[in-house]
């Protein structure tokens, strides 16, 4: 075995006797170096490996360890429990590999440097790399390992699909929320604010929702009386005609106890109210709230045409609409 292995340059002198001339030629000669390693051993990788090209899983056996492949290159052969021989499928980080699939046999797999490999001739006769290494493989365990790897891959794929669907659903929900906000803004612009607005699409005298002072409220819309468009905040409501006790006050200024023309000011002071007093009133809805008043009471909340009486009412509401 040559110990000084490596790349050499050789110079050759050639003489032409007839012409007595000298010529030189240079060539490179590489002296073979044996593979290096402490010993030959085989083992099974603890985890299966996925082929990036085919997408299939394999259980991998390793044979080595070679610290230097040397020159010429090393060739390793695997032998199955049934005696079939296979060249190593690949080489990684000092080990020659054999990939097993679901048809793996149960028994000892052995590996050795091929007898025909030129690198074998470079090894000393007592080199540990000239031996044979074996590893026991349980075929059923290989199949179970590959099945679990495929199931795990399937589970991860389904989990990723679920994550993708969940992410897509969240995006749809955000889009719907954004559309809802946009629609709310549009509705706010077009939502009726009065019963007169409601008349554009509905002439029924029923309860409607209008946007009033920044919020939605339920109101009763009177769409019959004098052309409709009258709005009443809904609480307890009963229908009925109480007559017209405002005509007498038509054209009068609103008066309070400290503001108004002299006669109206006198009425406000006398009847403890604030109203469009004439001389003095047929109605006084801002009068004093009087309980247990079976007899007429001029200071009370009155609407004369309701019962042709000044008896104080329990409650009164006024409906207004834009002109």
């Amino acid at each position: 075995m040559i110990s000084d292995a490596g790349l050499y340059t050789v110079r050759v002198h050639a003489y032409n006797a007839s012409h007595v001339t000298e010529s030189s030629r240079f060539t490179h000669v590489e002296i073979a170096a044996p593979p290096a390693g402490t010993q030959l051993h085989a083992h099974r990788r603890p985890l299966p490996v996925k082929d990036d090209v085919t997408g299939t899983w394999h259980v991998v056996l390793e044979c080595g360890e070679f610290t230097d492949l040397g020159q010429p290159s090393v060739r390793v052969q695997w032998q199955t429990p049934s005696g079939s021989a296979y060249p190593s499928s690949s080489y990684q980080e000092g080990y020659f590999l054999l990939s097993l699939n679901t048809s793996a046999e149960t028994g000892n797999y052995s590996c050795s440097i091929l007898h025909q490999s030129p690198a074998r001739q470079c090894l000393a006769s007592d080199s540990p790399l000239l031996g044979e290494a074996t590893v026991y493989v349980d075929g059923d365990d290989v199949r179970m390992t590959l099945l679990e790897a495929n199931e795990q891959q399937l589970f991860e794929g389904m989990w990723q699909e679920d994550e993708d669907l969940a992410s897509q659903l969240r995006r749809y929900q955000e889009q719907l929320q954004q559309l809802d906000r946009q629609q709310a803004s549009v509705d706010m612009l077009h939502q009726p604010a009065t019963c007169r607005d409601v008349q554009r699409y509905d002439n029924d005298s029923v309860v409607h929702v209008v946007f009033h002072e920044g919020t939605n409220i339920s109101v009763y819309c009177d769409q019959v009386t004098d052309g409709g468009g009258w709005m009443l905040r809904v609480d307890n409501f009963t229908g009925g005609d109480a007559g017209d006790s405002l005509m007498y006050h038509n054209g009068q200024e609103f008066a309070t106890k400290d503001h108004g023309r002299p006669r109206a000011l006198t009425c406000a002071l006398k009847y403890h109210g604030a109203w469009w007093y004439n001389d003095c009133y047929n109605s006084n809805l801002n009068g004093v709230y009087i309980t247990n008043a079976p007899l007429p009471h001029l200071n009370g909340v009155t609407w004369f045409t309701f019962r042709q009486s000044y008896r104080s009412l329990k409650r009164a509401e006024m409906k207004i609409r834009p002109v």
Side-chain angles (χ1 to χ4, degrees):
M1 183 181 73
I2 300 175
S3 59
D4 294 331
L7 186 64
Y8 290 82
T9 300
V10 180
R11 181 175 182 177
V12 179
H13 295 278
Y15 297 92
N16 189 322
S18 61
H19 296 87
V20 194
T21 59
E22 178 181 353
S23 63
S24 298
R25 298 289 187 271
F26 294 90
T27 186
H28 297 286
V29 177
E30 188 170 7
I31 305 301
T38 56
Q39 66 180 29
L40 194 65
H41 57 87
H43 62 269
R44 170 182 166 177
R45 284 188 179 179
L47 298 176
V49 177
K50 182 180 179 181
D51 190 314
D52 294 333
V53 177
T54 63
T56 57
W57 290 89
H58 300 277
V59 169
V60 176
L61 304 183
E62 296 182 329
C63 180
E65 173 182 9
F66 296 90
T67 57
D68 182 10
L69 291 181
Q71 180 63 32
S73 60
V74 179
R75 295 172 60 193
V76 169
Q77 176 177 279
W78 287 89
Q79 187 169 336
T80 67
S82 63
S84 299
Y86 296 96
S88 177
S89 55
S90 61
Y91 172 84
Q92 290 181 1
E93 300 178 354
Y95 290 94
F96 287 91
L97 311 180
L98 178 66
S99 297
L100 302 180
N101 54 29
T102 54
S103 61
E105 303 175 24
T106 298
N108 289 323
Y109 283 75
S110 62
C111 67
S112 61
I113 298 177
L114 276 172
H115 288 279
Q116 299 86 351
S117 175
R120 188 181 182 94
Q121 309 304 318
C122 298
L123 294 172
S125 59
D126 58 349
S127 171
L129 298 179
L130 289 176
E132 183 179 84
T134 61
V135 56
Y136 179 80
V137 174
D138 185 333
D140 291 336
D141 182 67
V142 169
R143 283 179 281 278
M144 181 60 67
T145 299
L146 297 179
L147 177 62
E148 291 174 351
N150 284 315
E151 289 179 346
Q152 180 66 22
Q153 179 179 351
L154 179 61
F155 172 78
E156 291 176 355
M158 294 175 62
W159 179 84
Q160 186 61 49
E161 289 180 359
D162 290 343
E163 282 294 303
D164 294 341
L165 289 174
S167 178
Q168 188 175 14
L169 179 59
R170 286 192 294 269
R171 289 196 299 270
Y172 287 155
Q173 290 174 338
E174 292 172 357
Q175 292 173 359
L176 287 175
Q177 291 173 356
Q178 183 177 2
L179 289 175
D180 288 342
R181 290 191 293 268
Q182 293 174 351
Q183 186 62 45
S185 299
V186 172
D187 292 343
M188 188 178 297
L189 293 175
H190 298 284
Q191 190 170 354
T194 66
C195 288
R196 181 68 81 184
D197 296 335
V198 173
Q199 275 189 310
R200 293 197 300 264
Y201 59 88
D202 193 342
N203 277 318
D204 292 337
S205 295
V206 294
V207 175
H208 292 276
V209 176
V210 298
F211 188 75
H212 180 71
E213 295 182 351
T215 185
N216 290 324
I217 61 172
S218 296
V219 298
Y220 178 83
C221 291
D222 180 355
Q223 309 292 36
V224 176
T225 303
D226 194 19
W230 303 101
M231 182 169 69
L232 174 65
R233 178 70 179 267
V234 174
D235 189 0
N236 293 320
F237 175 78
T238 56
D241 189 353
D244 186 357
S245 290
L246 276 180
M247 182 60 68
Y248 177 71
H249 301 270
N250 190 29
Q252 304 302 313
E253 295 181 359
F254 194 83
T256 64
K257 66 179 182 179
D258 55 3
H259 177 78
R261 59 184 179 82
R263 180 56 183 161
L265 186 61
T266 300
C267 294
L269 290 170
K270 182 177 181 179
Y271 298 112
H272 305 286
W275 200 245
W276 295 274
Y277 292 112
N278 191 335
D279 185 30
C280 275
Y281 70 82
N282 276 352
S283 59
N284 188 29
L285 298 185
N286 289 328
V288 178
Y289 181 75
I290 300 174
T291 59
N292 299 322
L295 298 177
H297 201 299
L298 296 179
N299 291 346
V301 179
T302 59
W303 189 270
F304 180 77
T305 57
F306 178 45
R307 292 178 179 174
Q308 301 299 309
S309 169
Y310 289 103
R311 180 174 296 176
S312 183
L313 304 174
K314 289 185 178 181
R315 63 179 297 169
E317 295 183 10
M318 295 185 66
K319 297 184 289 184
I320 60 174
R321 71 176 180 185
V323 177

